[in-house]
Amino acid sequence: MWFKNLLIYRITDGKIDPQQLNEALGKSVLQDCLQMEMQSRGWVHPKDGTDQFVHTCNQHLLIALGIEKKLLPSAVINQYAEERIAVMEQHQGHKAGKRQIKDIKEAVLIELMPRAFIQRQITYAWIDLNEELLVIDVANLKRAEELVDLLLKTMTGIRLAPLATNISPSTLMTRWLSGDEPPAVITIDRDCELQGVDSEKSKIRYTHHVLDMDETIRHISAGKRVIRLALTWRDRVSFVLHDNLQIRRIEPLDIITESSEASDSDDQFDSDFALMTGELNRFLPDLIHALGGENRAG
């Protein structure tokens, strides 16, 4: 139970009661895709073996959005459609029109939908009641928007806004690779991406590469800015910070892994969740402070 990615929202209005949230989520449960549906979404139990839609650990809540999608590649639809178009063209003696092709593809889609494979995806979100934050474990922004959209519809009375800081991550990361020292709690690792600010948006990527200050300064002087940088916090958590304040590739380091393995808790899930939220509760304030503090002007 360690989030690999963090997309952070501020709860700007409304209070969340765990019991009320559990009841609300239970009214929008994930259902199997109907025969003619391509997708369904709804809430699922975040912890196996329970009937609760909200897993509670002190002032931390864990919820999970489930999405079922039918996998029906366009290449498959086109293959079936092309065969039928060819037969039709032979019968009528001329090329099929655009409307005929469209109608055939729609008919093929309807015919194949019941036979499509179904893929289920689970997106987890952590709610910190004390700090009034919603943190989603997701790298795909669209999936985050789906969770936020359904949560706002399910739990009326709350409002959310993406967390914003007074200094943009790109500005700060560019300063660090221009010679400014990062805070003592943060060290720079070996992955980095710089992007030009011109229309071409040219990019330079470093992967598992020791970052040479003279080299990065040369790229920055040429008009590039840092949009992604691998960092480590207090020798406890490594991560990659992106220019939109998204945090990816989170990895607890040995000192935390050893603490988790040494736990004698009867419930490893609860132990890991408590350990994760405890660490991230210390990590996020340090990162936000480094970025000039939170900007709540919006």
Side-chain angles (χ1 to χ4, degrees):
M1 178 35 65
W2 263 92
F3 282 18
K4 297 297 184 184
N5 309 280
L6 304 180
L7 195 59
I8 311 165
Y9 292 81
R10 167 65 62 193
I11 302 172
T12 60
D13 192 20
K15 295 292 182 181
I16 296 178
D17 175 80
Q19 186 58 39
Q20 291 179 355
L21 178 60
N22 187 69
E23 293 173 359
L25 300 187
K27 296 176 182 177
S28 298
V29 179
L30 175 65
Q31 305 292 336
D32 292 337
C33 281
L34 298 177
Q35 188 174 12
M36 300 310 297
E37 283 184 335
M38 287 298 293
Q39 176 177 305
S40 67
R41 63 177 186 171
W43 304 105
V44 298
H45 303 140
K47 181 181 178 182
D48 292 338
T50 73
D51 60 357
Q52 298 297 303
F53 291 94
V54 177
H55 181 70
T56 305
C57 180
N58 297 321
Q59 292 297 298
H60 303 286
L61 312 179
L62 184 68
I63 61 176
L65 174 67
I67 298 177
E68 283 196 354
K69 293 182 178 180
K70 289 184 177 178
L71 302 181
L72 198 55
S74 58
V76 175
I77 297 173
N78 290 337
Q79 177 184 335
Y80 278 79
E82 286 170 4
E83 293 173 357
R84 297 188 184 183
I85 291 169
V87 172
M88 184 187 68
E89 289 178 343
Q90 283 183 342
H91 286 174
Q92 67 184 17
H94 58 80
K95 290 287 185 181
K98 291 183 179 180
R99 181 56 186 266
Q100 289 177 312
I101 293 174
K102 180 182 177 182
D103 289 345
I104 288 175
K105 287 186 176 182
E106 288 178 352
V108 168
L109 175 63
I110 292 172
E111 180 182 325
L112 294 179
M113 278 178 64
R115 298 156 55 187
F117 289 105
I118 295 177
Q119 179 186 61
R120 175 175 286 201
Q121 298 173 328
I122 305 294
T123 303
Y124 292 94
W126 156 43
I127 300 173
D128 186 332
L129 296 178
N130 285 335
E131 298 298 328
E132 298 182 317
L133 293 176
L134 169 74
V135 182
I136 306 175
D137 180 9
V138 68
N140 185 305
L141 296 179
K142 182 179 179 182
R143 285 178 61 183
E145 292 169 358
E146 288 178 323
L147 188 145
V148 168
D149 178 64
L150 187 58
L151 180 61
L152 294 177
K153 290 178 180 177
T154 303
M155 190 70 178
T156 57
I158 64 170
R159 296 177 63 187
L160 301 169
L163 187 78
T165 54
N166 289 310
I167 302 174
S168 75
S170 181
T171 297
L172 189 63
M173 293 186 294
T174 302
R175 288 178 186 173
W176 289 345
L177 292 191
S178 297
D180 287 4
E181 287 290 330
V185 297
I186 291 177
T187 54
I188 297 174
D189 293 336
R190 299 187 300 163
D191 286 12
C192 172
E193 184 171 349
L194 300 97
Q195 179 176 275
V197 296
D198 55 14
S199 58
E200 293 185 354
K201 304 290 184 184
S202 57
K203 293 182 179 180
I204 299 291
R205 292 188 181 93
Y206 294 90
T207 303
H208 304 303
H209 189 288
V210 176
L211 301 180
D212 179 83
M213 187 67 67
D214 292 338
E215 192 173 341
T216 56
I217 289 175
R218 187 164 63 251
H219 290 306
I220 291 167
S221 299
K224 290 183 173 60
R225 62 189 183 97
V226 182
I227 61 171
R228 181 175 63 86
L229 183 62
L231 303 164
T232 294
W233 169 75
R234 295 184 183 271
D235 295 325
R236 298 179 68 84
V237 176
S238 67
F239 63 100
V240 176
L241 180 62
H242 287 243
D243 58 346
N244 63 351
L245 197 52
Q246 190 171 13
I247 302 164
R248 298 189 189 178
R249 284 169 41 192
I250 295 174
E251 184 176 349
L253 303 181
D254 290 345
I255 188 170
I256 299 179
T257 305
E258 291 169 3
S259 299
S260 176
E261 291 173 350
S263 172
D264 60 0
S265 171
D266 291 334
D267 192 331
Q268 192 66 43
F269 185 94
D270 287 347
S271 176
D272 288 346
F273 183 54
L275 181 62
M276 181 193 77
T277 55
E279 287 296 318
L280 295 183
N281 260 155
R282 292 186 285 273
F283 161 65
L284 289 177
D286 279 354
L287 180 61
I288 293 170
H289 178 73
L291 289 163
E294 185 177 356
N295 182 350
R296 299 204 187 193

